[in-house]
Amino acid sequence: MLKFAREVRTEASRVTWPKGKETVQLTGIVLAMVVATSLFFLAVDGIIGAAMRALFGAGG
């Protein structure tokens, strides 16, 4: 168990962590993509819903 803990510590010391500015930029990119994807699926859902209402004449 001690060997495992030492190996984990050694590997963790090799990790290159992003700087604060890079973290903020990447977070912004991720949030922008989430919003874009959400809007895309909202539009697709609306189009499919309208097509189903037109096809089957149901709903409001």
Short mmCIF file of all heavy atoms in Angstrom, two decimals:
data_model
loop_
_atom_site.label_atom_id
_atom_site.label_comp_id
_atom_site.label_asym_id
_atom_site.label_seq_id
_atom_site.Cartn_x
_atom_site.Cartn_y
_atom_site.Cartn_z
N MET A 1 0.82 -1.19 0.00
CA MET A 1 0.00 0.00 0.00
C MET A 1 0.87 1.26 0.00
O MET A 1 0.54 2.23 -0.66
CB MET A 1 -0.91 -0.04 1.23
CG MET A 1 -2.04 0.91 1.17
SD MET A 1 -3.14 0.43 -0.16
CE MET A 1 -4.55 1.34 0.23
N LEU A 2 1.99 1.23 0.74
CA LEU A 2 2.89 2.38 0.76
C LEU A 2 3.52 2.62 -0.60
O LEU A 2 3.67 3.78 -1.04
CB LEU A 2 3.98 2.19 1.81
CG LEU A 2 3.56 2.43 3.25
CD1 LEU A 2 4.65 1.98 4.20
CD2 LEU A 2 3.24 3.89 3.47
N LYS A 3 3.87 1.54 -1.28
CA LYS A 3 4.46 1.67 -2.62
C LYS A 3 3.46 2.34 -3.56
O LYS A 3 3.83 3.23 -4.33
CB LYS A 3 4.85 0.30 -3.16
CG LYS A 3 5.47 0.36 -4.52
CD LYS A 3 5.81 -1.02 -5.05
CE LYS A 3 6.37 -0.90 -6.46
NZ LYS A 3 6.53 -2.20 -7.09
N PHE A 4 2.22 1.94 -3.48
CA PHE A 4 1.18 2.53 -4.32
C PHE A 4 1.05 4.02 -4.03
O PHE A 4 0.98 4.84 -4.96
CB PHE A 4 -0.16 1.82 -4.09
CG PHE A 4 -1.31 2.46 -4.82
CD1 PHE A 4 -1.45 2.31 -6.19
CD2 PHE A 4 -2.25 3.22 -4.13
CE1 PHE A 4 -2.50 2.90 -6.86
CE2 PHE A 4 -3.30 3.81 -4.80
CZ PHE A 4 -3.43 3.65 -6.16
N ALA A 5 1.02 4.41 -2.76
CA ALA A 5 0.89 5.81 -2.38
C ALA A 5 2.09 6.62 -2.90
O ALA A 5 1.92 7.74 -3.39
CB ALA A 5 0.78 5.94 -0.87
N ARG A 6 3.29 6.07 -2.83
CA ARG A 6 4.48 6.76 -3.35
C ARG A 6 4.39 6.93 -4.86
O ARG A 6 4.73 7.98 -5.40
CB ARG A 6 5.74 5.99 -2.96
CG ARG A 6 6.28 6.40 -1.60
CD ARG A 6 7.57 5.68 -1.30
NE ARG A 6 7.13 4.56 -0.45
CZ ARG A 6 7.63 3.34 -0.42
NH1 ARG A 6 8.64 3.03 -1.18
NH2 ARG A 6 7.16 2.42 0.37
N GLU A 7 3.93 5.90 -5.54
CA GLU A 7 3.80 5.98 -7.00
C GLU A 7 2.75 7.00 -7.41
O GLU A 7 2.94 7.73 -8.38
CB GLU A 7 3.47 4.60 -7.57
CG GLU A 7 4.63 3.63 -7.50
CD GLU A 7 4.26 2.24 -7.97
OE1 GLU A 7 3.08 2.00 -8.33
OE2 GLU A 7 5.15 1.37 -7.99
N VAL A 8 1.66 7.06 -6.67
CA VAL A 8 0.63 8.06 -6.95
C VAL A 8 1.19 9.46 -6.76
O VAL A 8 0.99 10.35 -7.59
CB VAL A 8 -0.61 7.84 -6.06
CG1 VAL A 8 -1.56 9.02 -6.13
CG2 VAL A 8 -1.33 6.57 -6.46
N ARG A 9 1.92 9.68 -5.69
CA ARG A 9 2.51 10.98 -5.42
C ARG A 9 3.50 11.37 -6.52
O ARG A 9 3.52 12.49 -7.00
CB ARG A 9 3.22 10.99 -4.06
CG ARG A 9 3.89 12.32 -3.76
CD ARG A 9 4.55 12.33 -2.43
NE ARG A 9 3.49 12.48 -1.42
CZ ARG A 9 3.69 12.38 -0.13
NH1 ARG A 9 4.89 12.08 0.34
NH2 ARG A 9 2.71 12.55 0.71
N THR A 10 4.29 10.40 -6.98
CA THR A 10 5.26 10.65 -8.05
C THR A 10 4.55 11.04 -9.34
O THR A 10 4.92 12.00 -10.01
CB THR A 10 6.14 9.41 -8.28
OG1 THR A 10 6.80 9.08 -7.07
CG2 THR A 10 7.15 9.65 -9.37
N GLU A 11 3.51 10.29 -9.69
CA GLU A 11 2.77 10.60 -10.91
C GLU A 11 2.06 11.95 -10.81
O GLU A 11 2.02 12.70 -11.77
CB GLU A 11 1.76 9.49 -11.21
CG GLU A 11 2.38 8.21 -11.70
CD GLU A 11 3.15 8.38 -13.00
OE1 GLU A 11 2.68 9.11 -13.90
OE2 GLU A 11 4.24 7.79 -13.10
N ALA A 12 1.50 12.25 -9.65
CA ALA A 12 0.79 13.52 -9.47
C ALA A 12 1.75 14.70 -9.60
O ALA A 12 1.37 15.77 -10.08
CB ALA A 12 0.11 13.55 -8.11
N SER A 13 3.00 14.52 -9.21
CA SER A 13 3.97 15.60 -9.33
C SER A 13 4.35 15.86 -10.78
O SER A 13 4.83 16.94 -11.12
CB SER A 13 5.23 15.30 -8.50
OG SER A 13 5.94 14.23 -9.07
N ARG A 14 4.12 14.90 -11.66
CA ARG A 14 4.43 15.05 -13.08
C ARG A 14 3.32 15.73 -13.88
O ARG A 14 3.50 16.08 -15.03
CB ARG A 14 4.70 13.68 -13.70
CG ARG A 14 5.94 13.02 -13.16
CD ARG A 14 6.13 11.68 -13.80
NE ARG A 14 7.24 10.96 -13.17
CZ ARG A 14 7.50 9.69 -13.35
NH1 ARG A 14 6.72 8.96 -14.14
NH2 ARG A 14 8.51 9.12 -12.74
N VAL A 15 2.16 15.86 -13.26
CA VAL A 15 1.01 16.44 -13.96
C VAL A 15 1.26 17.92 -14.21
O VAL A 15 1.73 18.64 -13.34
CB VAL A 15 -0.28 16.26 -13.12
CG1 VAL A 15 -1.45 17.00 -13.74
CG2 VAL A 15 -0.60 14.78 -12.96
N THR A 16 0.95 18.36 -15.43
CA THR A 16 1.05 19.77 -15.77
C THR A 16 -0.34 20.39 -15.61
O THR A 16 -1.26 20.08 -16.37
CB THR A 16 1.53 19.95 -17.23
OG1 THR A 16 2.77 19.27 -17.38
CG2 THR A 16 1.70 21.40 -17.56
N TRP A 17 -0.50 21.24 -14.62
CA TRP A 17 -1.78 21.85 -14.35
C TRP A 17 -1.92 23.13 -15.16
O TRP A 17 -0.96 23.87 -15.33
CB TRP A 17 -1.92 22.15 -12.86
CG TRP A 17 -1.88 20.91 -12.02
CD1 TRP A 17 -0.82 20.41 -11.36
CD2 TRP A 17 -2.96 19.99 -11.82
NE1 TRP A 17 -1.17 19.23 -10.74
CE2 TRP A 17 -2.46 18.95 -11.00
CE3 TRP A 17 -4.27 19.94 -12.26
CZ2 TRP A 17 -3.26 17.89 -10.61
CZ3 TRP A 17 -5.06 18.87 -11.86
CH2 TRP A 17 -4.56 17.86 -11.05
N PRO A 18 -3.13 23.42 -15.66
CA PRO A 18 -3.33 24.65 -16.43
C PRO A 18 -3.24 25.88 -15.53
O PRO A 18 -3.54 25.82 -14.34
CB PRO A 18 -4.73 24.49 -17.01
CG PRO A 18 -5.42 23.53 -16.10
CD PRO A 18 -4.35 22.62 -15.57
N LYS A 19 -2.82 26.99 -16.13
CA LYS A 19 -2.76 28.26 -15.40
C LYS A 19 -4.17 28.81 -15.24
O LYS A 19 -5.11 28.37 -15.90
CB LYS A 19 -1.90 29.27 -16.16
CG LYS A 19 -0.50 28.77 -16.47
CD LYS A 19 0.33 28.64 -15.22
CE LYS A 19 1.73 28.18 -15.58
NZ LYS A 19 2.33 27.31 -14.64
N GLY A 20 -4.33 29.78 -14.37
CA GLY A 20 -5.65 30.35 -14.10
C GLY A 20 -6.32 30.92 -15.33
O GLY A 20 -7.51 30.69 -15.58
N LYS A 21 -5.56 31.67 -16.14
CA LYS A 21 -6.13 32.28 -17.35
C LYS A 21 -6.60 31.21 -18.32
O LYS A 21 -7.67 31.32 -18.93
CB LYS A 21 -5.08 33.18 -18.00
CG LYS A 21 -5.59 33.93 -19.20
CD LYS A 21 -4.51 34.84 -19.78
CE LYS A 21 -5.02 35.58 -20.99
NZ LYS A 21 -4.01 36.45 -21.58
N GLU A 22 -5.81 30.17 -18.48
CA GLU A 22 -6.17 29.07 -19.38
C GLU A 22 -7.43 28.36 -18.89
O GLU A 22 -8.30 28.00 -19.69
CB GLU A 22 -5.01 28.09 -19.48
CG GLU A 22 -5.21 27.00 -20.50
CD GLU A 22 -4.04 26.04 -20.58
OE1 GLU A 22 -3.08 26.16 -19.78
OE2 GLU A 22 -4.10 25.16 -21.45
N THR A 23 -7.53 28.18 -17.59
CA THR A 23 -8.71 27.53 -17.02
C THR A 23 -9.97 28.34 -17.30
O THR A 23 -11.01 27.80 -17.68
CB THR A 23 -8.53 27.34 -15.50
OG1 THR A 23 -7.36 26.56 -15.27
CG2 THR A 23 -9.73 26.64 -14.88
N VAL A 24 -9.87 29.66 -17.12
CA VAL A 24 -11.02 30.54 -17.37
C VAL A 24 -11.41 30.49 -18.84
O VAL A 24 -12.60 30.40 -19.19
CB VAL A 24 -10.71 31.98 -16.92
CG1 VAL A 24 -11.78 32.95 -17.38
CG2 VAL A 24 -10.56 32.04 -15.41
N GLN A 25 -10.43 30.53 -19.75
CA GLN A 25 -10.71 30.48 -21.18
C GLN A 25 -11.38 29.17 -21.57
O GLN A 25 -12.37 29.16 -22.31
CB GLN A 25 -9.42 30.66 -21.98
CG GLN A 25 -8.86 32.06 -21.93
CD GLN A 25 -7.51 32.16 -22.62
OE1 GLN A 25 -6.82 31.16 -22.81
NE2 GLN A 25 -7.13 33.38 -22.99
N LEU A 26 -10.85 28.06 -21.08
CA LEU A 26 -11.43 26.76 -21.42
C LEU A 26 -12.83 26.61 -20.84
O LEU A 26 -13.72 26.02 -21.47
CB LEU A 26 -10.52 25.64 -20.94
CG LEU A 26 -9.18 25.53 -21.67
CD1 LEU A 26 -8.30 24.46 -21.03
CD2 LEU A 26 -9.38 25.23 -23.14
N THR A 27 -13.04 27.14 -19.64
CA THR A 27 -14.37 27.09 -19.04
C THR A 27 -15.35 27.88 -19.89
O THR A 27 -16.49 27.45 -20.12
CB THR A 27 -14.34 27.64 -17.60
OG1 THR A 27 -13.43 26.86 -16.83
CG2 THR A 27 -15.71 27.61 -16.97
N GLY A 28 -14.92 29.05 -20.37
CA GLY A 28 -15.78 29.87 -21.24
C GLY A 28 -16.12 29.14 -22.53
O GLY A 28 -17.27 29.19 -22.99
N ILE A 29 -15.15 28.46 -23.10
CA ILE A 29 -15.39 27.70 -24.34
C ILE A 29 -16.40 26.59 -24.08
O ILE A 29 -17.33 26.38 -24.88
CB ILE A 29 -14.07 27.14 -24.89
CG1 ILE A 29 -13.20 28.28 -25.41
CG2 ILE A 29 -14.34 26.11 -25.99
CD1 ILE A 29 -11.77 27.86 -25.75
N VAL A 30 -16.23 25.88 -22.99
CA VAL A 30 -17.16 24.79 -22.66
C VAL A 30 -18.57 25.33 -22.46
O VAL A 30 -19.54 24.78 -22.99
CB VAL A 30 -16.68 24.02 -21.40
CG1 VAL A 30 -17.77 23.09 -20.89
CG2 VAL A 30 -15.42 23.24 -21.71
N LEU A 31 -18.71 26.43 -21.71
CA LEU A 31 -20.04 27.00 -21.48
C LEU A 31 -20.67 27.49 -22.79
O LEU A 31 -21.87 27.31 -23.02
CB LEU A 31 -19.95 28.14 -20.47
CG LEU A 31 -19.61 27.72 -19.05
CD1 LEU A 31 -19.46 28.94 -18.15
CD2 LEU A 31 -20.67 26.78 -18.49
N ALA A 32 -19.87 28.10 -23.67
CA ALA A 32 -20.39 28.55 -24.96
C ALA A 32 -20.87 27.37 -25.80
O ALA A 32 -21.93 27.45 -26.45
CB ALA A 32 -19.31 29.32 -25.71
N MET A 33 -20.14 26.27 -25.77
CA MET A 33 -20.55 25.09 -26.53
C MET A 33 -21.82 24.47 -25.94
O MET A 33 -22.67 23.97 -26.69
CB MET A 33 -19.42 24.06 -26.56
CG MET A 33 -18.23 24.49 -27.39
SD MET A 33 -18.64 24.93 -29.09
CE MET A 33 -19.26 23.37 -29.70
N VAL A 34 -21.94 24.50 -24.62
CA VAL A 34 -23.16 23.98 -23.99
C VAL A 34 -24.37 24.81 -24.41
O VAL A 34 -25.42 24.26 -24.77
CB VAL A 34 -23.01 23.97 -22.44
CG1 VAL A 34 -24.35 23.75 -21.76
CG2 VAL A 34 -22.02 22.90 -22.02
N VAL A 35 -24.21 26.13 -24.42
CA VAL A 35 -25.31 27.01 -24.84
C VAL A 35 -25.64 26.78 -26.31
O VAL A 35 -26.82 26.65 -26.68
CB VAL A 35 -24.96 28.49 -24.57
CG1 VAL A 35 -25.96 29.42 -25.23
CG2 VAL A 35 -24.89 28.76 -23.07
N ALA A 36 -24.63 26.70 -27.16
CA ALA A 36 -24.86 26.49 -28.59
C ALA A 36 -25.56 25.16 -28.84
O ALA A 36 -26.51 25.07 -29.64
CB ALA A 36 -23.54 26.55 -29.36
N THR A 37 -25.12 24.12 -28.16
CA THR A 37 -25.73 22.80 -28.33
C THR A 37 -27.17 22.80 -27.83
O THR A 37 -28.06 22.23 -28.46
CB THR A 37 -24.91 21.73 -27.58
OG1 THR A 37 -23.56 21.77 -28.06
CG2 THR A 37 -25.47 20.34 -27.79
N SER A 38 -27.40 23.47 -26.71
CA SER A 38 -28.76 23.55 -26.17
C SER A 38 -29.70 24.27 -27.14
O SER A 38 -30.83 23.83 -27.37
CB SER A 38 -28.76 24.29 -24.83
OG SER A 38 -27.99 23.60 -23.88
N LEU A 39 -29.23 25.38 -27.72
CA LEU A 39 -30.05 26.11 -28.68
C LEU A 39 -30.32 25.28 -29.94
O LEU A 39 -31.43 25.30 -30.48
CB LEU A 39 -29.38 27.44 -29.05
CG LEU A 39 -29.30 28.46 -27.92
CD1 LEU A 39 -28.47 29.68 -28.35
CD2 LEU A 39 -30.69 28.88 -27.47
N PHE A 40 -29.31 24.54 -30.38
CA PHE A 40 -29.48 23.68 -31.54
C PHE A 40 -30.58 22.65 -31.28
O PHE A 40 -31.49 22.47 -32.09
CB PHE A 40 -28.16 22.98 -31.89
CG PHE A 40 -28.31 21.91 -32.93
CD1 PHE A 40 -28.46 22.23 -34.26
CD2 PHE A 40 -28.31 20.57 -32.55
CE1 PHE A 40 -28.61 21.24 -35.22
CE2 PHE A 40 -28.45 19.57 -33.50
CZ PHE A 40 -28.60 19.90 -34.84
N PHE A 41 -30.49 21.96 -30.14
CA PHE A 41 -31.49 20.93 -29.86
C PHE A 41 -32.86 21.53 -29.57
O PHE A 41 -33.88 20.90 -29.86
CB PHE A 41 -31.02 20.02 -28.72
CG PHE A 41 -29.99 19.02 -29.17
CD1 PHE A 41 -28.70 19.08 -28.70
CD2 PHE A 41 -30.31 18.05 -30.09
CE1 PHE A 41 -27.74 18.18 -29.13
CE2 PHE A 41 -29.36 17.13 -30.53
CZ PHE A 41 -28.06 17.20 -30.04
N LEU A 42 -32.92 22.73 -29.03
CA LEU A 42 -34.20 23.41 -28.84
C LEU A 42 -34.84 23.68 -30.19
O LEU A 42 -36.05 23.44 -30.38
CB LEU A 42 -33.99 24.73 -28.07
CG LEU A 42 -35.24 25.57 -27.84
CD1 LEU A 42 -36.20 24.84 -26.90
CD2 LEU A 42 -34.86 26.92 -27.27
N ALA A 43 -34.05 24.15 -31.15
CA ALA A 43 -34.57 24.42 -32.49
C ALA A 43 -35.01 23.13 -33.18
O ALA A 43 -36.10 23.07 -33.78
CB ALA A 43 -33.51 25.13 -33.33
N VAL A 44 -34.20 22.08 -33.10
CA VAL A 44 -34.56 20.80 -33.73
C VAL A 44 -35.84 20.25 -33.11
O VAL A 44 -36.73 19.76 -33.82
CB VAL A 44 -33.39 19.79 -33.62
CG1 VAL A 44 -33.82 18.39 -34.03
CG2 VAL A 44 -32.22 20.25 -34.46
N ASP A 45 -35.94 20.35 -31.78
CA ASP A 45 -37.14 19.87 -31.10
C ASP A 45 -38.37 20.65 -31.56
O ASP A 45 -39.44 20.07 -31.78
CB ASP A 45 -36.96 19.99 -29.59
CG ASP A 45 -38.15 19.43 -28.83
OD1 ASP A 45 -38.51 18.26 -29.07
OD2 ASP A 45 -38.72 20.17 -27.99
N GLY A 46 -38.22 21.96 -31.71
CA GLY A 46 -39.34 22.78 -32.18
C GLY A 46 -39.76 22.42 -33.59
O GLY A 46 -40.96 22.34 -33.89
N ILE A 47 -38.79 22.19 -34.46
CA ILE A 47 -39.09 21.82 -35.84
C ILE A 47 -39.79 20.46 -35.90
O ILE A 47 -40.81 20.30 -36.59
CB ILE A 47 -37.80 21.81 -36.69
CG1 ILE A 47 -37.29 23.24 -36.85
CG2 ILE A 47 -38.03 21.15 -38.04
CD1 ILE A 47 -35.88 23.34 -37.40
N ILE A 48 -39.27 19.50 -35.16
CA ILE A 48 -39.89 18.17 -35.14
C ILE A 48 -41.29 18.24 -34.53
O ILE A 48 -42.23 17.62 -35.03
CB ILE A 48 -39.01 17.16 -34.40
CG1 ILE A 48 -37.73 16.91 -35.20
CG2 ILE A 48 -39.75 15.85 -34.14
CD1 ILE A 48 -36.69 16.06 -34.48
N GLY A 49 -41.44 19.02 -33.46
CA GLY A 49 -42.76 19.17 -32.85
C GLY A 49 -43.76 19.79 -33.80
O GLY A 49 -44.91 19.35 -33.90
N ALA A 50 -43.32 20.83 -34.52
CA ALA A 50 -44.22 21.48 -35.49
C ALA A 50 -44.59 20.51 -36.62
O ALA A 50 -45.74 20.47 -37.06
CB ALA A 50 -43.55 22.72 -36.06
N ALA A 51 -43.63 19.72 -37.06
CA ALA A 51 -43.91 18.73 -38.11
C ALA A 51 -44.90 17.68 -37.63
O ALA A 51 -45.81 17.30 -38.37
CB ALA A 51 -42.60 18.07 -38.56
N MET A 52 -44.75 17.23 -36.39
CA MET A 52 -45.69 16.23 -35.86
C MET A 52 -47.08 16.82 -35.71
O MET A 52 -48.08 16.15 -36.03
CB MET A 52 -45.20 15.72 -34.50
CG MET A 52 -43.94 14.87 -34.54
SD MET A 52 -44.19 13.33 -35.44
CE MET A 52 -43.23 13.66 -36.90
N ARG A 53 -47.15 18.08 -35.24
CA ARG A 53 -48.47 18.71 -35.12
C ARG A 53 -49.12 18.87 -36.50
O ARG A 53 -50.32 18.67 -36.66
CB ARG A 53 -48.35 20.06 -34.41
CG ARG A 53 -48.16 19.93 -32.91
CD ARG A 53 -48.28 21.26 -32.20
NE ARG A 53 -47.23 22.21 -32.61
CZ ARG A 53 -45.99 22.23 -32.12
NH1 ARG A 53 -45.64 21.35 -31.20
NH2 ARG A 53 -45.13 23.12 -32.54
N ALA A 54 -48.34 19.26 -37.48
CA ALA A 54 -48.87 19.42 -38.84
C ALA A 54 -49.29 18.08 -39.43
O ALA A 54 -50.31 17.98 -40.11
CB ALA A 54 -47.84 20.10 -39.73
N LEU A 55 -48.50 17.06 -39.16
CA LEU A 55 -48.76 15.74 -39.72
C LEU A 55 -49.99 15.08 -39.08
O LEU A 55 -50.83 14.52 -39.76
CB LEU A 55 -47.54 14.85 -39.53
CG LEU A 55 -47.56 13.48 -40.19
CD1 LEU A 55 -47.69 13.62 -41.70
CD2 LEU A 55 -46.31 12.71 -39.84
N PHE A 56 -50.10 15.20 -37.76
CA PHE A 56 -51.16 14.50 -37.04
C PHE A 56 -52.28 15.43 -36.58
O PHE A 56 -53.28 14.97 -36.06
CB PHE A 56 -50.59 13.74 -35.85
CG PHE A 56 -49.62 12.66 -36.24
CD1 PHE A 56 -48.27 12.76 -35.95
CD2 PHE A 56 -50.06 11.55 -36.95
CE1 PHE A 56 -47.38 11.77 -36.33
CE2 PHE A 56 -49.18 10.55 -37.34
CZ PHE A 56 -47.83 10.66 -37.04
N GLY A 57 -52.11 16.74 -36.72
CA GLY A 57 -53.15 17.69 -36.37
C GLY A 57 -53.50 17.70 -34.90
O GLY A 57 -54.64 17.98 -34.54
N ALA A 58 -52.53 17.42 -34.03
CA ALA A 58 -52.81 17.37 -32.61
C ALA A 58 -51.95 18.37 -31.88
O ALA A 58 -50.99 18.92 -32.43
CB ALA A 58 -52.53 15.97 -32.06
N GLY A 59 -52.28 18.63 -30.65
CA GLY A 59 -51.46 19.51 -29.80
C GLY A 59 -51.75 20.97 -30.05
O GLY A 59 -52.58 21.35 -30.86
N GLY A 60 -51.01 21.79 -29.31
CA GLY A 60 -51.31 23.20 -29.45
C GLY A 60 -50.09 23.98 -29.40
O GLY A 60 -49.74 24.99 -29.55
#
